[in-house]
Amino acid sequence: MQFSRLRLTGFKSFVDPTDLMISTGLTGVVGPNGCGKSNLLEALRWVMGETRAKAMRGGGMEDVIFAGAASRPARNYAEVSLVIDNQDRVAPAGFNDSDTLEVTRRITRDVGSAYKVNSKDTRARDVQMLFADAATGATSPALVRQGQIAELINAKPQNRRKVLEDAA
Amino acid sequence: MQFSRLRLTGFKSFVDPTDLMISTGLTGVVGPNGCGKSNLLEALRWVMGETRAKAMRGGGMEDVIFAGAASRPARNYAEVSLVIDNQDRVAPAGFNDSDTLEVTRRITRDVGSAYKVNSKDTRARDVQMLFADAATGATSPALVRQGQIAELINAKPQNRRKVLEDAA
Amino acid sequence: GRERLLTAFEQVNANFTMLFTHLFGGGEANLVMVESDDPLEAGLEIMCQPPGKKLSVLSLMSGGEQTLTCLALIFAVFMANPSPICVLDEVDAPLDDANVTRFCDMLDEMCRRTETRFLVITHHAVTMARMDRLFGVTMQEQGVSQLVSVDLKRAEKLVA
Amino acid sequence: GRERLLTAFEQVNANFTMLFTHLFGGGEANLVMVESDDPLEAGLEIMCQPPGKKLSVLSLMSGGEQTLTCLALIFAVFMANPSPICVLDEVDAPLDDANVTRFCDMLDEMCRRTETRFLVITHHAVTMARMDRLFGVTMQEQGVSQLVSVDLKRAEKLVA
Ligand SMILES: Nc1ncnc2c1ncn2[C@@H]1O[C@H](COP(=O)(O)OP(=O)(O)OP(=O)(O)O)[C@@H](O)[C@H]1O
Ligand SMILES: Nc1ncnc2c1ncn2[C@@H]1O[C@H](COP(=O)(O)OP(=O)(O)OP(=O)(O)O)[C@@H](O)[C@H]1O
Ligand SMILES: [Mg+2]
Ligand SMILES: [Mg+2]
């Protein structure tokens, strides 16, 4: 199972549909302060089923919807889709009969989040399970937020142990 | 009242007597990771009467004594002195009859800290007062530790207010 | 008690708004007392709107924007009651080159307005170049620190 | 439960010691369970000794040393159970040029050992130069992000 493309529409500062191609090896992401780099990581964790608004730097889940800018009105929905190459057919049963899996999450103001896998409505829990079975997901220790290392350094020994539990 | 020189002996990684001249304007301090830059700021806060070992990254106050290195044995005391130019005679009474004030703090293993001002034994509290009256001191908001801004960002609103109290 | 805190708040808030708009080249920012009407009990929230963006709380901004905003707050407090010495330990780490330059402009402004002596610990080449003098800390002998004077031009070698 | 956690601990500890000595060019490091004999209740302490320095807990090391040590821990966990994707958001901010280079060497090693795809968000010129490709995020229109492909040579202009 390999991740190949992340598409953002109306997600935080990415109001226009934007594709991030995910290739092998090391891909660098650069740009000035505040231009949207961390928003890309948040979009990835969000489409994988992130449930805690605090982990998205927000007060509520709707904070990820594009809120408007100098010359653009606010949107009323945000959508992120992740395309997964499944040619090795290691996806869980129920998702394992195609070469490509496209996981999509959309949140609509005052309505809430809805997930689809290859256009079929899917429960949040099944999306989370799909990624957990692939040794990844919104809480994967391999997704290191900005400032998370400082938190790990300052954490009490009890809270640091959670890092180990993700490996078990 | 102007600070002119900080001298460290046996303080953390500064085992040999080292003078940091403090001049007007902007003085930069550079060097690789782990070479001792932050130890200089800790020495300054320490000689001004820092009482919390946690604020010195240590478990106990004796953690500031040079603990030894590959080719050097541990020391049994640490000393820091701060030279203050007092030509404008604005120091508090009791300290105000000389052009220069030298504040010295020494900690000896199993004995504890002792302060001197111009070679005269002084209580910790009077040293803290001396600096507080000069709008500085170990807890001055103008002494910004490494990582302190991240703490301010993540702090609950109640804890952030302490910054304001230092200004009042 | 309450009076002094409110007066300090007013002054710091005015300084903060001024410094924020300087550092961000525009926009708006304000300190807000929250969670209680009593200033001795209230918490401090920071509302900011960089140019062209929406007003939001500090936590919704980017890492670099949050850092720049906190520097505006720290120096707003500093201006209200300048200290003889100010030490900044790697505060510029999350800033890009453009923002480091604005941060250094603010330090120059503080030098003009006060008698304060500044010690700035940094890994940033842009910051080093803006200093009046440089000291290098080295560990030629493992575990033993030494202080040396550094030629501004030779600074790049020392930071690596 | 307890069995699995202890097995994971052993493996991660072995990886951690190996990665630490790689990143620091020597020295010693260990994970230690503290505060309880029951692994399900214990906390995690990190003991480390960079080359030529004294053994101490994580909190007594420098900011850059603490960051490098935590990177060793994060990748020790990663090696025990590699994920298809790994994203690192400005983890190299507190590192000097020499340590950033060692961090990039470790990333190359992870690329050799696993199929994992890496996204590395950075402001560091050294890190950018070590990437296989670069994407730039820009806000030409205020408040609106766009993604562009970046020529590795032109990268320096974009970061400022
Ligand atoms: N719902 C939203 N609608 C529009 N813009 C948003 C929304 N949420 C966040 N933003 C904007 O996104 C920007 C933050 O982007 P991000 O955190 O990705 O920056 P960054 O590139 O990581 O910067 P840094 O280098 O400082 O970490 C903020 O300036 C914020 O105004
Ligand atoms: N009591 C002590 N005796 C000897 N060495 C000590 C003592 N306490 C701390 N050290 C050493 O001082 C070093 C830390 O120095 P410091 O934190 O000043 O580094 P730094 O230059 O600020 O690095 P960075 O750029 O990573 O922040 C550590 O490597 C530690 O081993
Ligand atoms: Mg960011
Ligand atoms: Mg430091």
Side-chain angles (χ1 to χ4, degrees):
Chain A
M1 216 163 114
Q2 280 297 352
F3 291 21
S4 58
R5 192 200 77 200
L6 186 72
R7 173 174 291 165
L8 292 73
T9 310
F11 185 90
K12 295 211 166 188
S13 55
F14 287 87
V15 56
D16 298 327
T18 305
D19 281 357
L20 171 67
M21 306 313 294
I22 303 167
S23 319
T24 56
L26 305 172
T27 301
V29 176
V30 301
N33 292 134
C35 66
K37 306 180 295 295
S38 298
N39 290 344
L40 291 169
L41 168 54
E42 289 185 339
L44 176 67
R45 300 212 333 274
W46 188 71
V47 72
M48 295 208 274
E50 180 63 75
T51 49
R52 309 155 295 170
K54 272 212 165 293
M56 313 293 296
R57 284 179 287 170
M61 268 311 190
E62 293 191 354
D63 282 342
V64 306
I65 302 173
F66 178 72
S71 50
R72 305 266 200 135
R75 285 290 166 88
N76 80 326
Y77 78 91
E79 184 171 293
V80 175
S81 81
L82 180 62
V83 175
I84 302 163
D85 169 2
N86 186 38
Q87 290 185 31
D88 54 3
R89 296 301 161 89
V90 293
F95 299 119
N96 210 15
D97 50 5
S98 42
D99 279 354
T100 316
L101 289 172
E102 179 162 10
V103 180
T104 305
R105 179 178 183 177
R106 173 189 282 234
I107 184 168
T108 310
R109 246 183 239 295
D110 305 327
V111 175
S113 281
Y115 294 80
K116 283 182 161 63
V117 179
N118 286 352
S119 310
K120 180 157 146 277
D121 288 336
T122 309
R123 291 180 306 178
R125 204 170 80 222
D126 293 329
V127 168
Q128 290 157 4
M129 290 285 286
L130 166 67
F131 291 112
D133 289 346
T136 181
T139 57
S140 163
L143 303 177
V144 185
R145 280 179 291 110
Q146 197 169 353
Q148 193 169 348
I149 290 189
E151 291 173 16
L152 186 58
I153 292 167
N154 293 327
K156 296 195 168 56
Q158 283 297 336
N159 294 329
R160 275 194 204 136
R161 209 200 64 208
K162 298 198 173 70
V163 171
L164 216 53
E165 291 176 338
D166 292 320
Chain B
M1 213 164 114
Q2 281 298 349
F3 291 21
S4 57
R5 193 201 77 201
L6 186 72
R7 172 173 291 166
L8 292 72
T9 310
F11 184 90
K12 294 209 164 188
S13 55
F14 287 88
V15 56
D16 298 326
T18 305
D19 280 358
L20 173 66
M21 306 313 294
I22 304 167
S23 319
T24 56
L26 305 172
T27 301
V29 177
V30 301
N33 292 134
C35 67
K37 305 179 296 295
S38 298
N39 290 345
L40 290 170
L41 168 54
E42 289 186 337
L44 176 67
R45 299 210 334 273
W46 187 72
V47 73
M48 294 208 273
E50 180 62 75
T51 50
R52 310 155 296 170
K54 274 213 163 294
M56 314 291 298
R57 285 180 286 171
M61 268 313 191
E62 294 191 352
D63 282 342
V64 307
I65 303 174
F66 178 72
S71 51
R72 305 267 199 134
R75 285 290 166 89
N76 79 328
Y77 77 90
E79 184 171 292
V80 175
S81 82
L82 180 60
V83 175
I84 303 164
D85 168 3
N86 186 39
Q87 291 185 30
D88 54 3
R89 294 302 161 87
V90 292
F95 299 120
N96 210 17
D97 50 5
S98 41
D99 277 356
T100 316
L101 287 173
E102 181 163 9
V103 180
T104 304
R105 178 178 183 176
R106 173 189 282 235
I107 184 167
T108 309
R109 245 184 240 294
D110 305 325
V111 174
S113 279
Y115 293 82
K116 283 182 161 59
V117 179
N118 286 353
S119 311
K120 182 160 143 271
D121 289 336
T122 310
R123 291 178 308 178
R125 204 170 80 220
D126 293 329
V127 169
Q128 290 158 4
M129 290 285 288
L130 166 66
F131 290 113
D133 289 346
T136 181
T139 57
S140 162
L143 302 178
V144 185
R145 280 179 291 112
Q146 197 167 355
Q148 192 169 349
I149 290 189
E151 290 172 16
L152 186 58
I153 291 166
N154 292 328
K156 295 194 169 55
Q158 283 296 337
N159 294 328
R160 273 194 206 137
R161 206 200 65 208
K162 298 199 173 67
V163 171
L164 215 54
E165 289 177 338
D166 292 320
Chain C
R2 228 168 241 101
E3 280 296 318
R4 267 182 64 188
L5 201 62
L6 277 172
T7 314
F9 179 81
E10 302 280 325
Q11 186 179 6
V12 171
N13 198 7
N15 295 341
F16 173 67
T17 303
M18 186 268 292
L19 288 172
F20 180 96
T21 50
H22 256 111
L23 288 171
F24 280 83
E28 262 292 329
N30 262 307
L31 302 174
V32 184
M33 294 229 193
V34 295
E35 291 170 18
S36 167
D37 290 330
D38 177 0
L40 292 176
E41 298 292 318
L44 188 65
E45 188 51 275
I46 303 166
M47 301 303 299
C48 19
Q49 182 227 314
K53 296 184 176 178
K54 288 289 169 188
L55 182 72
S56 70
V57 293
L58 185 69
S59 56
L60 282 173
M61 301 175 85
S62 86
E65 292 171 333
Q66 290 172 333
T67 298
L68 212 55
T69 302
C70 283
L71 285 166
L73 175 57
I74 287 167
F75 280 95
V77 171
F78 170 79
M79 284 170 71
N81 194 12
S83 51
I85 188 156
C86 173
V87 183
L88 305 169
D89 196 346
E90 294 190 24
V91 298
D92 55 8
L95 303 179
D96 61 37
D97 287 11
N99 280 331
V100 171
T101 301
R102 293 185 193 108
F103 161 66
C104 291
D105 291 344
M106 180 174 67
L107 288 183
D108 287 339
E109 177 71 14
M110 294 302 137
C111 286
R112 276 192 291 274
R113 288 175 178 245
T114 67
E115 295 287 315
T116 305
R117 301 181 173 196
F118 290 85
L119 283 176
V120 183
I121 301 171
T122 184
H123 286 294
H124 227 294
V126 170
T127 308
M128 283 179 222
R130 298 286 296 262
M131 296 293 107
D132 297 322
R133 68 198 67 79
L134 280 185
F135 289 119
V137 187
T138 69
M139 263 192 179
Q140 279 205 329
E141 184 186 344
Q142 272 181 341
V144 175
S145 293
Q146 281 197 313
L147 206 61
V148 295
S149 231
V150 178
D151 187 312
L152 267 142
K153 299 193 192 60
R154 293 180 36 227
E156 265 78 51
K157 298 223 185 64
L158 197 80
V159 75
Chain D
R2 226 168 242 102
E3 280 297 316
R4 266 183 65 188
L5 201 63
L6 276 172
T7 315
F9 178 82
E10 303 281 323
Q11 185 180 7
V12 172
N13 198 9
N15 295 341
F16 172 68
T17 302
M18 185 268 291
L19 288 172
F20 180 96
T21 50
H22 256 111
L23 288 171
F24 280 84
E28 261 293 328
N30 262 307
L31 303 174
V32 185
M33 295 230 194
V34 295
E35 292 169 19
S36 168
D37 290 331
D38 178 1
L40 292 176
E41 298 291 319
L44 188 66
E45 188 51 275
I46 303 165
M47 301 303 299
C48 20
Q49 183 226 315
K53 295 184 177 180
K54 289 288 168 188
L55 181 72
S56 69
V57 294
L58 185 70
S59 55
L60 280 172
M61 301 173 86
S62 84
E65 291 171 335
Q66 290 171 334
T67 298
L68 212 55
T69 302
C70 282
L71 285 167
L73 175 57
I74 286 166
F75 280 96
V77 170
F78 170 78
M79 285 171 71
N81 193 14
S83 51
I85 188 156
C86 172
V87 183
L88 305 168
D89 195 346
E90 293 190 26
V91 298
D92 56 8
L95 302 179
D96 60 37
D97 287 10
N99 279 331
V100 170
T101 300
R102 294 185 191 107
F103 160 67
C104 290
D105 292 345
M106 180 175 68
L107 288 183
D108 287 340
E109 179 70 13
M110 294 301 136
C111 286
R112 278 192 289 274
R113 289 173 176 244
T114 67
E115 295 288 314
T116 305
R117 301 181 172 196
F118 291 85
L119 283 175
V120 183
I121 301 171
T122 183
H123 286 293
H124 227 293
V126 170
T127 308
M128 285 180 220
R130 297 287 296 261
M131 297 291 107
D132 297 322
R133 69 198 67 80
L134 280 185
F135 289 120
V137 187
T138 68
M139 263 192 179
Q140 279 205 327
E141 186 187 340
Q142 272 181 342
V144 174
S145 294
Q146 280 196 314
L147 207 60
V148 296
S149 231
V150 178
D151 188 311
L152 267 141
K153 298 191 193 60
R154 292 179 37 225
E156 264 78 51
K157 296 221 187 67
L158 196 80
V159 78

